[in-house]
């Protein structure tokens, strides 16, 4: 019996104790748009091609001084199951913002870096995911930049 305890102790020392903490396996991203501008707008997201080489377009309508909240299930490439990314900048090809009243293009964003702010992130060990919430704030100053 004594030998068994010594052997068991040696096994734990060599292999380490089993970890009680589960590790995150995936990241789920959500985006919240806040239109703090004086314009009623459409936001058109053009996503990078998926493995089938299809580009995806998503269009959202936002009235002046309003916001759009997505459900938890609107994640990872927004509606496509093909990709899982940590950051919206990795899967958004370009963003076009159009005034809904005049149909004039107000802003074309070719590089989304710097437009999405990480609001909060939390690890959900039960689902083994990290949930990251991003905010895209539209202001009148955005349209005045050249």
């Amino acid at each position: 019996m004594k030998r068994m305890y010594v052997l068991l102790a040696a096994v734990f020392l060599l292999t380490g104790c089993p970890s009680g903490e589960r590790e995150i396996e995936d990241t789920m991203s959500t985006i919240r748009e806040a239109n703090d501008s004086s314009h009623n707008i459409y936001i058109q997201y053009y996503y990078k091609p998926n493995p089938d080489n299809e580009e995806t377009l998503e269009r959202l309508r936002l009235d002046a001084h309003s916001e759009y909240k997505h459900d938890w299930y609107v994640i990872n490439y927004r509606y496509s199951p093909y990709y899982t990314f940590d950051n919206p900048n990795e899967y958004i090809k370009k963003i076009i913002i159009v005034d809904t009243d005049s149909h004039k293009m107000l802003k074309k964003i070719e590089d989304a870096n710097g437009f999405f702010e990480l609001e909060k992130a939390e690890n959900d060990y039960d689902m083994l995911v990290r949930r990251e919430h991003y905010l895209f704030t539209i202001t009148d100053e955005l349209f005045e930049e050249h």
Side-chain angles (χ1 to χ4, degrees):
M1 190 66 153
K2 200 182 220 184
R3 286 185 184 178
M4 187 149 147
Y5 287 124
V6 171
L7 182 61
L8 190 59
V11 168
F12 278 124
L13 284 174
L14 294 175
T15 61
C17 294
S19 174
E21 185 174 314
R22 302 170 77 183
E23 294 192 18
I24 299 300
E25 296 176 358
D26 201 359
T27 301
M28 300 169 72
S29 299
T30 60
I31 301 172
R32 178 172 67 92
E33 289 86 359
N35 182 10
D36 289 338
S37 77
S38 58
H39 298 274
N40 297 322
I41 60 171
Y42 281 114
I43 301 174
Q44 298 176 359
Y45 289 102
Y46 292 84
Y47 299 107
K48 293 179 181 173
N50 60 33
D52 296 333
N53 209 25
E54 298 169 348
E55 276 195 6
T56 307
L57 167 67
E58 178 184 18
R59 178 187 265 186
L60 303 174
R61 185 178 194 290
L62 281 171
D63 291 329
H65 306 290
S66 66
E67 68 179 60
Y68 185 84
K69 284 192 176 186
H70 301 277
D71 294 330
W72 270 112
Y73 302 105
V74 182
I75 53 171
N76 300 333
Y77 205 66
R78 296 296 279 270
Y79 290 101
S80 174
Y82 294 108
Y83 299 107
T84 56
F85 292 106
D86 296 343
N87 188 313
N89 297 322
E90 294 183 39
Y91 55 89
I92 294 175
K93 183 177 179 180
K94 68 182 171 185
I95 302 168
I96 296 177
I97 302 175
V98 178
D99 186 287
T100 58
D101 301 323
S102 67
H103 300 289
K104 177 184 170 191
M105 183 174 68
L106 298 173
K107 184 74 173 181
K108 181 177 183 180
I109 302 168
E110 294 283 348
D111 182 9
N113 283 321
F115 287 94
F116 295 98
E117 176 188 340
L118 180 63
E119 283 190 290
K120 64 178 181 168
E122 60 216 0
N123 293 334
D124 183 346
Y125 290 103
D126 290 333
M127 292 185 64
L128 302 178
V129 297
R130 177 176 174 82
R131 300 182 193 274
E132 294 185 342
H133 305 274
Y134 289 89
L135 172 64
F136 179 31
T137 304
I138 298 99
T139 62
D140 286 324
E141 290 81 29
L142 176 69
F143 307 128
E144 294 168 5
E145 295 174 4
H146 295 285

